[in-house]
Amino acid sequence: MNASDPNLGLIIAAFLFSIGLFGVMVRRNLLFMLLSTEVMLNAVALAFISAGNKWHQADGQIMFIMIIAYAAAEASVGLAIVLRLHAAGHATLDADSCNRLKG
């Protein structure tokens, strides 16, 4: 198995997605949940790149660009929510205690 093997990329993507999913399910801190979501999105992007390499199609690269744009938007909205919670005086970023955003 060499470094350009598409199956290796798919295996690594599945491993990274599992780590991200585990982080979202176990962690209750909003910041760590956001980071775990980013890991999952990057794993999906790696899977698209590997699949595109495997079948010699450019669709994987197009999906990679779309996922990166989505990840940037998700990070900005998530960090805005975290900053809003901090500005509202929440002492913790626990997801269970931050289930209501008051306008």
Side-chain angles (χ1 to χ4, degrees), residues 3-103:
S4 65
D5 187 14
N7 291 330
L8 179 64
L10 290 173
I11 291 170
I12 292 172
F15 181 69
L16 286 174
F17 189 85
S18 300
I19 290 173
L21 183 63
F22 181 75
V24 167
M25 292 176 68
V26 171
R27 297 292 225 161
R28 301 308 314 155
N29 188 322
L30 287 176
L31 198 56
F32 284 107
M33 292 173 74
L34 186 65
L35 289 173
S36 298
T37 305
E38 290 291 326
V39 169
M40 286 193 304
L41 285 173
N42 286 325
V44 171
L46 178 63
F48 273 113
I49 289 292
S50 297
N53 186 23
K54 184 174 185 174
W55 288 293
H56 304 289
Q57 296 287 326
D59 297 342
Q61 295 173 359
I62 294 168
M63 291 300 292
F64 173 76
I65 292 171
M66 188 183 81
I67 289 172
I68 293 299
Y70 174 75
E74 180 261 338
S76 63
V77 170
L79 289 176
I81 290 172
V82 168
L83 288 175
R84 176 68 179 108
L85 287 172
H86 179 70
H90 284 268
T92 179
L93 291 177
D94 186 30
D96 293 331
S97 68
C98 302
N99 59 0
R100 287 185 153 185
L101 291 176
K102 297 176 183 173

